């Protein structure tokens, strides 16, 4: 990472004043924040137009000037955004460790690459103002764009902050056994925390469980988990995985189940699934396929299939590798086609 600008973020004791600035707006009844647009600035011009049902949407690319963007490591975490930049984990081949990388964005363009230091390869999350990550065992770091502060990890390996709010959900790597903890982020961890059970489910016929439920995402509507099942009978070699996503209310009521190849119109193409292949925007659940140039969109309101989006930059198809969002209907995705990293955005 010799090409990176290195930022020595000073660790400090987290204060209530710092945490009071984590939110993006007023909090609605029950702790759900009112929607506040904390998304990145848009590039000035789209690179092309893509079809979304009967609509045509602009596709934007965050250009990176002359910076050499290394590959994000998707082993444990997709990138996240704040109002000021994009953050992701990158594996450094020099020191053979994973680092947190910041890509500041100004006027719709990436202006720098900043190495925020060595981190564990665990999920990172954002509330739109702060980025939360695990720099070492037992410690959760909070980076506000200038300064790093720390709070106790509380034995939770996965944290999901509510974008634009102060709430967060946390759990172990797999949450079926001990459930998910929900509370408000404070200087000593999660305040007013409650544990929400996440029941184990029967595996689909012909499949065996590969990975139990992981805490995938959280927003003002609740939290989301995904599971992974492998096709033990090998009767569908092209699509050997089933990876459902479950939506829960903030109090733990199961609301809906989504899956890449379920509840789609007859004759609609099926695609191979991939772990952490979905995000929840304000109104939609958006899946990416494992190896194909599409995004598949379902409605959060009723679970109905909405549309596929074929991803192209106008010259060639693009295969999204990482997918992330904010608290609006903005979908950001990362590609590595042709060995070059590119970051795009579609506003649904």
């Amino acid at each position: 990472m010799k090409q990176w600008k290195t930022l020595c973020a000073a660790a400090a004791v987290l204060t209530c004043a710092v945490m009071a600035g984590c939110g993006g707006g007023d909090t609605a009844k029950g702790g759900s924040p009112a929607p506040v647009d904390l998304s990145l600035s848009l590039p000035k011009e789209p690179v092309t137009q893509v079809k979304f049902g009967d609509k045509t949407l602009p596709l934007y690319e965050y250009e990176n000037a002359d910076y050499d963007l290394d590959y994000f490591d998707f082993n444990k975490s997709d990138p996240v955004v704040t109002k000021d930049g994009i953050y992701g984990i990158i594996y450094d081949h020099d020191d053979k460790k994973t680092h947190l990388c910041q890509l500041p964005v100004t006027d719709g363009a990436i202006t720098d690459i900043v190495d925020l230091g060595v981190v564990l390869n665990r999920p990172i999350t954002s509330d739109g103002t702060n980025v939360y990550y695990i720099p070492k065992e037992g410690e959760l770091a909070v980076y506000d764009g200038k300064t790093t502060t720390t709070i106790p990890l509380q034995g939770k390996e996965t944290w999901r902050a509510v974008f634009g709010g102060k709430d967060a959900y946390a759990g172990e790597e797999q949450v079926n056994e001990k459930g998910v903890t929900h509370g408000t982020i404070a200087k000593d961890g999660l305040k007013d925390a409650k544990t929400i059970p996440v029941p184990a489910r029967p595996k689909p016929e012909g499949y065996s469980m590969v990975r139990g439920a992981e805490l995938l995402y959280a927003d003002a509507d609740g939290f989301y988990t995904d599971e992974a099942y492998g096709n033990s009978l090998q009767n569908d070699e092209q699509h050997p995985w089933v990876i459902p996503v479950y939506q829960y209310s903030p109090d733990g009521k199961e609301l809906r189940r989504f899956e890449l190849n379920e509840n789609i119109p007859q004759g609609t193409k099926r695609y191979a699934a991939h772990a952490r292949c979905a995000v929840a925007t304000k109104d939609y659940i958006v899946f990416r396929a494992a190896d194909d140039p599409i995004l598949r969109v379902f409605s959060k309101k009723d679970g109905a299939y909405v549309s596929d989006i074929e991803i192209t930059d106008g010259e060639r198809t693009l295969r999204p590798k990482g997918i992330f969002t904010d608290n609006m209907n903005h979908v950001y995705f990362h590609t590595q086609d042709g060995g070059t990293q590119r970051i795009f955005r579609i506003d649904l």
Side-chain angles (χ1 to χ4, degrees):
M1 295 191 183
K2 298 180 178 65
Q3 75 275 25
W4 286 17
K5 172 183 174 183
T6 300
L7 178 67
C8 297
V13 176
L14 195 61
T15 66
C16 293
V18 170
M19 296 313 301
C22 291
D26 295 335
T27 299
K29 183 178 180 181
S32 297
V36 176
D37 189 354
L38 293 173
S39 55
L40 293 173
S41 58
L42 269 174
K44 291 181 172 57
E45 298 291 338
V47 295
T48 191
Q49 306 283 329
V50 294
K51 284 290 188 180
F52 177 52
D54 58 358
K55 300 178 182 179
T56 300
L57 303 178
L59 175 69
Y60 298 93
E61 180 177 2
Y62 286 94
E63 296 185 1
N64 56 63
D66 297 325
Y67 299 108
D68 180 15
L69 301 188
D70 207 338
Y71 293 154
F72 285 128
D73 188 331
F74 298 105
N75 184 36
K76 290 290 185 181
S77 182
D78 285 328
V80 299
V81 295
T82 68
K83 59 185 179 181
D84 299 317
I86 301 166
Y87 295 76
I89 290 177
I90 288 179
Y91 180 77
D92 188 334
H93 292 278
D94 292 333
D95 66 10
K96 302 188 185 310
K97 296 179 180 179
T98 48
H99 292 237
L100 183 64
C101 168
Q102 177 196 35
L103 308 179
V105 173
T106 302
D107 295 330
I110 296 170
T111 60
D112 205 347
I113 304 178
V114 181
D115 182 0
L116 297 177
V118 175
V119 299
L120 299 185
N121 198 1
R122 306 273 180 79
I124 62 176
T125 189
S126 167
D127 61 18
T129 302
N130 304 286
V131 175
Y132 302 84
Y133 61 95
I134 302 177
K136 60 184 180 180
E137 295 291 348
E139 187 174 281
L140 181 69
V142 186
Y143 180 64
D144 65 2
K146 297 179 180 180
T147 304
T148 299
T149 53
T150 60
I151 61 179
L153 190 59
Q154 296 179 288
K156 311 296 184 183
E157 296 183 355
T158 302
W159 289 66
R160 300 298 185 191
V162 172
F163 206 97
K166 301 175 185 178
D167 284 8
Y169 296 80
E172 297 185 358
E173 185 173 3
Q174 297 184 14
V175 298
N176 287 124
E177 184 175 344
K178 295 188 177 181
V180 169
T181 301
H182 177 206
T184 302
I185 300 178
K187 63 180 181 179
D188 53 353
L190 287 176
K191 182 181 177 182
D192 300 325
K194 297 181 180 179
T195 299
I196 303 169
V198 177
R201 296 176 180 81
K203 60 181 180 292
E205 185 177 355
Y207 287 77
S208 59
M209 177 171 282
V210 176
R211 174 180 51 74
E214 287 189 351
L215 183 57
L216 177 67
Y217 193 74
D219 60 17
D221 295 325
F223 66 97
Y224 306 77
T225 66
D226 72 346
E227 301 174 350
Y229 301 91
N231 189 337
S232 58
L233 298 183
Q234 296 300 315
N235 56 8
D236 191 352
E237 294 181 0
Q238 186 177 0
H239 308 290
W241 298 94
V242 171
I243 305 179
V245 171
Y246 294 92
Q247 179 188 12
Y248 295 86
S249 66
D251 61 1
K253 179 183 178 182
E254 184 181 320
L255 301 178
R256 277 170 203 92
R257 180 186 190 275
F258 302 85
E259 205 274 319
L260 178 66
N261 295 307
E262 294 180 3
N263 298 323
I264 57 177
Q266 187 174 3
T268 304
K269 184 176 179 179
R270 298 175 68 229
Y271 294 100
H274 194 280
R276 293 191 317 278
C277 63
V279 293
T281 73
K282 180 175 178 290
D283 297 310
Y284 304 105
I285 299 292
V286 183
F287 285 86
R288 67 176 178 87
D291 300 304
D292 292 277
I294 67 103
L295 297 176
R296 177 161 287 173
V297 183
F298 295 87
S299 169
K300 282 172 61 176
K301 181 178 179 180
D302 57 13
Y305 169 84
V306 178
S307 178
D308 284 2
I309 304 174
E310 295 187 9
I311 304 299
T312 172
D313 63 2
E315 298 180 357
R316 61 178 180 175
T317 57
L318 303 170
R319 293 168 175 79
K321 295 295 183 183
I323 182 171
F324 45 111
T325 188
D326 46 43
N327 63 338
M328 307 300 284
N329 288 322
H330 306 149
V331 179
Y332 306 83
F333 63 89
H334 164 274
T335 72
Q336 294 177 353
D337 293 86
T340 301
Q341 170 176 287
R342 303 169 71 185
I343 298 174
F344 295 88
R345 170 173 155 181
I346 296 177
D347 293 357
L348 302 181

